[in-house]
């Protein structure tokens, strides 16, 4: 069974940093593109970043470029999001999500999602 | 960037109703569109990809259609488990991945 379990969320002051983790199981993690998607309280979904199987390609939404860094450790079956210079507008539930393309391609939609971790940026 | 809109924003319906949600893209995205269902406090669930392909395990009362800039999600006979918020998502371009604002389906 595919499982994605996020952790690392919490309350942080504006300008602060936080590192999110996503532990993957039930599939060959190293064969899939992975993404972070966020959802502000009561709002819609926003794709944040994704990363290629070997970490050699990474893409970000404009609003987080230069502040957030996506990474992965295939030996640990884990995905990460380092978030620096946090702003109030970064407050959201952050989901990790799997791209179903597998080793052959990137599809850019998401077939499995974690339960999410809440990040609150407030003084 | 490609902007996505959905209509209506809220839809009130009864069990057994046929329900249609529309998603529009600001430019052509061919058939690169997915639909998700989200219930309160839960992660989104993939329903449809490539505009009309049903994800494995999703009931056949869900269907998707469209191409270019206009797409629809249809629920042929609304069930109690279907009351939720539905999002479309385009994945055509590398100007990014964008979601629609959502359509909440609630009980009439």
């Amino acid at each position: 069974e595919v499982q994605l379990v996020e952790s690392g969320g919490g309350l942080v002051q504006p300008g602060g940093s936080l590192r999110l983790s996503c532990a993957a199981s039930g599939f060959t993690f190293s064969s899939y593109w992975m993404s972070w998607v966020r959802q502000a309280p009561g709002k819609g979904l926003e794709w944040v970043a994704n990363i290629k199987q070997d970490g050699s390609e990474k893409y970000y939404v404009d609003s987080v470029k230069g502040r957030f860094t996506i990474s992965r450790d295939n030996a640990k079956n884990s995905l990460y999001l380092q978030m620096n210079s946090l702003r109030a507008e970064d407050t959201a539930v952050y989901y990790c999500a799997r791209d179903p393309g597998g080793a052959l391609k990137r599809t850019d939609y998401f077939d499995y999602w974690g339960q999410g971790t809440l990040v609150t940026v407030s003084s | 960037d490609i902007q996505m809109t959905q209509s209506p924003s809220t839809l009130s319906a009864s069990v057994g109703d046929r329900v249609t949600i529309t998603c529009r893209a600001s430019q052509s995205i061919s058939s690169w569109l997915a639909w998700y269902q989200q219930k309160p406090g839960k992660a989104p669930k993939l329903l449809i990809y490539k505009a009309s392909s049903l994800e494995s395990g999703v009931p056949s009362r869900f269907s998707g259609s469209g191409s270019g800039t206009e797409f629809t999600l249809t629920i042929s006979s609304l069930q109690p488990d279907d009351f939720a918020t539905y999002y479309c998502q385009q994945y055509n371009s590398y100007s990014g991945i964008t979601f629609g604002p959502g359509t909440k389906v609630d009980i009439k």
Side-chain angles (χ1 to χ4, degrees):
Chain A
E1 178 194 6
V2 171
Q3 284 201 317
L4 299 168
V5 179
E6 301 93 339
S7 60
L11 176 63
V12 59
Q13 292 188 340
S17 298
L18 212 55
R19 188 195 196 206
L20 306 183
S21 299
C22 171
S25 61
F27 66 103
T28 305
F29 179 72
S30 60
S31 294
Y32 292 82
W33 280 78
M34 297 294 296
S35 277
W36 289 97
V37 178
R38 67 184 179 183
Q39 187 170 35
K43 303 297 184 183
L45 300 164
E46 180 183 40
W47 170 79
V48 173
N50 62 5
I51 185 169
K52 193 177 181 179
Q53 289 91 334
D54 62 359
S56 63
E57 293 181 38
K58 304 174 186 182
Y59 300 95
Y60 301 90
V61 68
D62 285 348
S63 60
V64 309
K65 283 179 183 175
R67 301 188 300 122
F68 289 11
T69 302
I70 190 171
S71 62
R72 65 193 296 162
D73 184 336
N74 288 339
K76 294 183 177 180
N77 290 336
S78 293
L79 177 71
Y80 305 102
L81 186 67
Q82 177 67 44
M83 303 185 295
N84 298 331
S85 302
L86 281 160
R87 306 166 179 167
E89 55 264 36
D90 296 317
T91 294
V93 173
Y94 285 73
Y95 296 100
C96 69
R98 191 183 82 165
D99 181 311
L104 297 177
K105 61 178 180 177
R106 186 186 81 211
T107 63
D108 286 339
Y109 63 93
F110 312 109
D111 62 347
Y112 286 95
W113 300 61
Q115 85 289 350
T117 188
L118 176 62
V119 173
T120 303
V121 184
S122 175
S123 55
Chain B
D1 286 7
I2 297 175
Q3 309 302 319
M4 306 300 292
T5 59
Q6 288 183 233
S7 60
S9 55
T10 304
L11 186 161
S12 296
S14 300
V15 172
D17 284 354
R18 182 181 181 87
V19 166
T20 298
I21 298 168
T22 298
C23 174
R24 291 185 175 88
S26 59
Q27 63 190 78
S28 177
I29 57 170
S30 185
S31 295
W32 304 120
L33 187 98
W35 289 96
Y36 301 86
Q37 176 193 67
Q38 187 180 34
K39 297 180 180 179
K42 301 294 187 182
K45 174 187 175 183
L46 177 66
L47 300 175
I48 302 283
Y49 61 94
K50 207 173 179 184
S52 60
S53 296
L54 191 69
E55 174 70 354
S56 176
V58 173
S60 59
R61 63 181 180 273
F62 290 92
S63 64
S65 65
S67 65
T69 62
E70 187 156 334
F71 302 85
T72 58
L73 173 71
T74 299
I75 309 171
S76 61
S77 177
L78 196 67
Q79 298 302 301
D81 192 49
D82 301 338
F83 292 98
T85 300
Y86 294 85
Y87 294 94
C88 61
Q89 177 227 324
Q90 72 82 17
Y91 53 99
N92 176 70
S93 72
Y94 237 78
S95 63
I97 296 164
T98 47
F99 291 86
T103 294
K104 184 178 181 180
V105 177
D106 63 18
I107 301 172
K108 191 172 184 179

